[in-house]
Amino acid sequence: MQHPELCFNDPDLRHGTVQQSPVLGPKAISGNFASVFSITARNGQRYALKCFTRDSATLGKRYSAISSALGGLGGPGAGGLSQPWPVGFDFLERGVLVGREWYPAVKMTWVQGTGLIGWIERNLHDPAALHTLADRFLAMTGDLERNGIAHGDLQHGNLLVATDGTFRLVDYDGMYVPALRGERATENGHRNYQSPSRTAADFGPAMDRFSAWTIELALLAVATDPGLWTQLHDRHGEFLILSEADFREPATSLAWPVLLSHPDHRVRDVAGRVRGFLGRPTSAVPPLTADAVQLPAQRTAAAAGAGAGAGAGAGAGGSGTGLGGSRPTVTSWTPAASATGAPASGVPAWMVGRVATPAPASAATPTPAQQPAAGVAGGAGFRKRGAGDLFAAVGALLSTSTPGALVLAAAQPADVLPAAQGVALLASAALVGIGRRGRPEHRAARKRVRDLKRRAHELADPASVHQRLEKEIRALDDALAKDNTASDQRIQALQIELRDGQARITMELNRRTDQAQQQLAGLAAKERRRMNKALEPAIRAHIQDKLRRTSIQEARSLSNMGNKMVQALQGAGIRTAADFIGVDFSHNPSVVFLVRPGGQRIRVPGIGEARATALSDWRQGLEHQARASAPTTVSAAAKAQIKADIAALRRSHKAEIKQAEAEALQKKGALQQRITDERGRLTGQRQQRAMDTQRRRAELLQRQKQLAGAGVERARVVAELAVARKETRGALGAGRYVRFLLTGG
């Protein structure tokens, strides 16, 4: 790469400039199977050159089939693709020269676009843009399905969003086209986007479906509730909102409970479908369609139309120019230019069904200030006495009659009667007043009067009231946003706590089980050692018997041993090969001792270093021969005992591991439950705050709306206030209440 004119055969690359790293030379974006370099040709056209790090004899065949399939798709427009997602490429058989050998490479048009994760974060608070992107992703996967094509590695890294908001799909190494039927996959795709059941045999038109559902769910969820991105996306993770851990261990996932219990029914429904796909084979996952995610027909049509009109090409700057001309390539393909211009402006049809638009207030529907108080309309007055009314009536009667009764009973002097009667009347009036204020009709009437007074005050200066209401609305929105941010941060902290807690439990489990696992793995060797140890006495007895049966007379066959030396050995008590076990030269090499089985050392005249060495070698040879014919198996009883002991140890180690795993599972379950409960509490509080804010916001907006025509409205409100006061003093006055207490009507 340091010398393009030498290592490239393609004319654009040979005279191009390779992007350099400040320190390491040519800058490469490395993946599992290839490294990609950015090269700018003389004419300013930028290319991405993919150099493969693994040899594959089928690369040429695969890219030839892919080129033919993509070439037959046509360009964006009526009857063609929804958007210009394919990217032009040349497969170069003589791509790059390494040493003296040429290796294949793929030359692709450099795509000007933003990675999917970066684009989502940039547009996180623009639900319109996110919903449109979800529509376009849906349309792109529809293009693939209709043509029997599957990308093979549908994930955020291979999805770029162009400046016109349409997708560009890159990296075709694992792509399936109908001409490749019967082949096996060269890769299984990004682990955070694939079903756990996917294998290399799942190479076919259905292999993108699980990934497509996962990505559509993420786009739909984040467009509906941006807080889900903060809650479920890990800024250091290679996924959107769901990862491999959520697919493999859904029971311990934090994401599934959040999605499956979300207030939005479409998020719940799509999440439930994706959750249900985890137990299915890849081929059994249904295609991702508009009907499957319950999108209104008009929205889908609008999205398709917008996609068809978006973008001018896949090249840099959207030029749409291909890689035509005569090139030393096996195959090349260039996407067709868009058949239509930019999408027409206007209100996007996708909004229908996406956002609940508040209906305009009906003129026939009275405002809270206009609604009559219960019990006042029609002069209905008080209705149905209750316990409080009976208490007020009895209390008033008793307080009024008590002073007279006391005077008549001569308990008090007569001159105190006027004062006592006055106090009694005041107490009676107070009880009546308390009972009247406690009546729901009176409370409703007073509230109506207060609302009308407030309304009249607001209408006296509508501009300042409008500003104050606007300030209250902004304060509500700011408070809700602040609460949601704090809630998101807390939920993220819970995710981290769960992840770290599970990691600690796993580490503790590994620490506890490592020793047991090692001992379990070593039981086979331990059994062999036990068997050998049990066999050793029989082997020693066999060898000893063979040595005792070998007379020292047989040592005469040694070259330096004669009858005289054999007789000397016999005289020293060494009559068989078992009567000595070795020689000892430790004190003086010229003085040799023979060692008896009991450890005694004896000196035999005439036995020097050479003869002693020969005798030792002779005995060792006899021992070796005897060992070769020794028993090789222990008795059945001993063997059964050893196996029983090993089996008991195996059960013990397995029980220890099982107990540790059960305790770890219990700890994980308790941790999961605690985090789930806390998250549920936070989610409930968040939803309640949102509903309270929405209700209060609607009230403030309604009050703002009512400020229109303030002069006429104020006159009407003042008149209504006078009527309300009159009705409150009349039908709900103190006199009417006393009559109500006495007569019940």
Side-chain angles (χ1 to χ4, degrees):
M1 297 292 180
Q2 298 281 8
H3 303 284
E5 68 279 1
L6 299 178
C7 66
F8 295 135
N9 192 40
D10 180 86
D12 289 331
L13 304 181
R14 183 187 300 169
H15 302 293
T17 303
V18 182
Q19 184 178 3
Q20 301 286 319
S21 169
V23 178
L24 303 176
K27 184 178 181 180
I29 303 172
S30 298
N32 289 332
F33 304 99
S35 294
V36 179
F37 298 88
S38 172
I39 302 177
T40 304
R42 277 181 174 177
N43 62 2
Q45 177 68 55
R46 193 177 179 188
Y47 298 100
L49 184 70
K50 173 175 281 192
C51 300
F52 299 95
T53 56
R54 297 186 187 181
D55 186 27
S56 176
T58 64
L59 275 175
K61 173 186 174 182
R62 287 178 178 268
Y63 268 96
S64 177
I66 294 169
S67 171
S68 299
L70 295 182
L73 296 180
L81 300 179
S82 63
Q83 57 201 291
W85 55 261
V87 178
F89 66 84
D90 286 350
F91 179 83
L92 308 176
E93 191 70 46
R94 292 163 62 87
V96 59
L97 181 66
V98 180
R100 296 185 177 182
E101 187 172 354
W102 286 97
Y103 290 91
V106 173
K107 171 189 170 187
M108 299 169 287
T109 306
W110 188 269
V111 178
Q112 296 287 3
T114 304
L116 183 56
I117 289 179
W119 192 94
I120 291 174
E121 291 178 337
R122 186 180 301 172
N123 296 274
L124 188 58
H125 298 290
D126 187 351
L130 287 165
H131 278 304
T132 300
L133 193 73
D135 289 340
R136 285 175 173 158
F137 178 77
L138 189 67
M140 185 189 69
T141 56
D143 293 342
L144 294 168
E145 280 282 350
R146 283 193 305 275
N147 292 280
I149 298 174
H151 181 268
D153 189 17
L154 210 56
Q155 45 109 339
H156 68 271
N158 291 329
L159 290 167
L160 303 180
V161 184
T163 54
D164 60 5
T166 58
F167 277 106
R168 300 295 184 270
L169 186 59
V170 301
D171 188 0
Y172 301 156
D173 295 345
M175 180 172 277
Y176 169 86
V177 295
L180 296 177
R181 186 187 308 275
E183 299 286 341
R184 291 179 66 84
T186 57
E187 56 180 292
N188 283 335
H190 199 296
R191 66 185 186 279
N192 287 332
Y193 292 83
Q194 301 301 325
S195 168
S197 62
R198 179 178 171 180
T199 65
D202 295 315
F203 186 61
M207 65 179 176
D208 280 346
R209 291 177 181 174
F210 184 86
S211 308
W213 276 96
T214 301
I215 295 170
E216 180 69 14
L217 169 60
L219 294 174
L220 174 65
V222 174
T224 304
D225 181 0
L228 291 174
W229 183 260
T230 309
Q231 294 179 46
L232 304 179
H233 176 70
D234 185 347
R235 67 182 61 183
H236 303 296
E238 290 293 310
F239 61 90
L240 298 179
I241 61 174
L242 291 171
S243 67
E244 181 186 27
D246 299 307
F247 304 146
R248 293 193 177 278
E249 298 182 10
T252 60
S253 165
L254 274 179
W256 288 121
V258 172
L259 296 172
L260 294 173
S261 62
H262 195 271
D264 186 87
H265 73 90
R266 190 178 292 117
V267 173
R268 292 197 307 271
D269 293 345
V270 177
R273 296 203 67 180
V274 177
R275 174 68 172 78
F277 297 155
L278 297 179
R280 298 189 192 180
T282 303
S283 58
V285 176
L288 175 65
T289 63
D291 291 338
V293 292
Q294 302 176 6
L295 302 179
Q298 65 270 30
R299 180 188 149 223
T300 307
S319 64
T321 56
L323 303 179
S326 58
R327 306 288 172 95
T329 66
V330 170
T331 180
S332 65
W333 175 78
T334 304
S338 172
T340 62
S345 61
V347 178
W350 65 265
M351 291 290 286
V352 180
R354 286 284 199 192
V355 179
T357 305
S362 173
T365 304
T367 66
Q370 296 169 332
Q371 293 174 353
V376 176
F382 299 106
R383 294 189 298 274
K384 194 175 181 180
R385 289 177 295 187
D389 302 314
L390 295 177
F391 175 78
V394 172
L397 181 61
L398 290 176
S399 63
T400 304
S401 60
T402 298
L406 291 175
V407 170
L408 291 175
Q412 295 289 341
D415 57 355
V416 302
L417 179 60
Q421 191 66 41
V423 173
L425 289 174
L426 290 175
S428 178
L431 289 171
V432 170
I434 293 172
R436 174 171 167 261
R437 285 194 295 274
R439 291 294 303 179
E441 299 90 348
H442 186 269
R443 290 199 302 270
R446 287 178 60 84
K447 181 180 184 301
R448 182 186 176 208
V449 170
R450 286 196 303 271
D451 290 343
L452 288 170
K453 288 173 64 178
R454 174 186 54 76
R455 182 71 180 144
H457 176 72
E458 289 179 350
L459 293 172
D461 186 7
S464 62
V465 174
H466 189 282
Q467 292 178 357
R468 178 173 59 80
L469 293 175
E470 188 66 30
K471 186 176 181 181
E472 288 187 40
I473 292 172
R474 286 198 301 270
L476 277 175
D477 293 341
D478 292 344
L480 182 61
K482 185 177 180 181
D483 287 344
N484 287 344
T485 299
S487 176
D488 292 341
Q489 292 174 349
R490 177 55 185 155
I491 290 176
Q492 276 191 328
L494 288 175
Q495 286 181 298
I496 295 172
E497 184 180 352
L498 177 64
R499 182 188 62 201
D500 293 347
Q502 289 178 335
R504 284 193 299 271
I505 293 171
T506 300
M507 290 175 61
E508 176 64 18
L509 173 64
N510 292 338
R511 186 191 64 77
R512 288 185 59 185
T513 58
D514 276 351
Q515 185 176 0
Q517 291 282 10
Q518 292 173 3
Q519 291 176 342
L520 195 61
L523 285 181
K526 187 171 186 176
E527 181 177 348
R528 288 193 299 271
R529 291 194 299 270
R530 290 277 301 272
M531 291 289 188
N532 292 336
K533 186 175 181 180
L535 189 60
E536 191 61 32
I539 294 174
R540 287 199 302 269
H542 176 79
I543 293 173
Q544 198 65 17
D545 181 67
K546 289 289 187 181
L547 293 176
R548 278 197 300 269
R549 292 174 180 271
T550 303
S551 173
I552 196 65
Q553 292 287 343
E554 296 184 15
R556 289 181 300 175
S557 61
L558 300 175
S559 60
N560 55 359
M561 297 290 292
N563 288 332
K564 184 177 179 181
M565 295 310 305
V566 169
Q567 289 175 359
L569 289 169
Q570 289 175 335
I574 300 176
R575 295 182 175 82
T576 67
D579 292 332
F580 74 102
I581 59 174
V583 295
D584 183 7
F585 302 97
S586 59
H587 295 282
N588 188 345
S590 61
V591 178
V592 180
F593 294 92
L594 298 181
V595 181
R596 299 293 299 272
Q600 304 91 349
R601 298 184 306 145
I602 60 172
R603 183 178 180 187
V604 180
I607 300 298
E609 181 179 1
R611 287 194 176 102
T613 302
L615 279 173
S616 178
D617 293 343
W618 171 70
R619 187 189 183 284
Q620 289 179 4
L622 292 174
E623 185 175 347
H624 181 72
Q625 292 175 6
R627 187 175 291 276
S629 62
T632 57
T633 59
V634 298
S635 65
K639 185 176 182 179
Q641 183 60 48
I642 292 172
K643 285 190 172 294
D645 293 343
I646 295 298
L649 287 173
R650 183 174 286 107
R651 287 193 299 272
S652 174
H653 295 323
K654 285 184 176 180
E656 183 180 352
I657 294 171
K658 188 174 181 180
Q659 181 182 358
E661 290 175 344
E663 291 177 1
L665 186 62
Q666 184 179 7
K667 290 179 181 178
K668 284 187 176 181
L671 176 63
Q672 173 74 34
Q673 188 61 50
R674 182 174 64 79
I675 298 296
T676 300
D677 291 345
E678 177 66 11
R679 186 190 55 229
R681 186 184 66 80
L682 290 172
T683 302
Q685 290 178 347
R686 181 186 183 123
Q687 293 173 358
Q688 186 61 47
R689 284 195 302 268
M691 288 189 295
D692 293 343
T693 301
Q694 184 179 12
R695 182 167 54 251
R696 177 59 179 158
R697 199 175 192 276
E699 293 174 358
L700 295 174
L701 289 172
Q702 184 66 16
R703 286 167 57 186
Q704 274 190 333
K705 187 176 181 181
Q706 292 168 356
L707 291 173
V712 176
E713 177 68 9
R714 187 171 188 276
R716 187 193 64 78
V717 170
V718 169
E720 188 174 347
L721 176 59
V723 173
R725 283 172 170 167
K726 182 178 179 181
E727 290 179 347
T728 303
R729 289 193 296 267
L732 299 175
R736 182 66 65 88
Y737 183 63
V738 171
R739 190 176 72 179
F740 169 69
L741 292 178
L742 296 175
T743 64

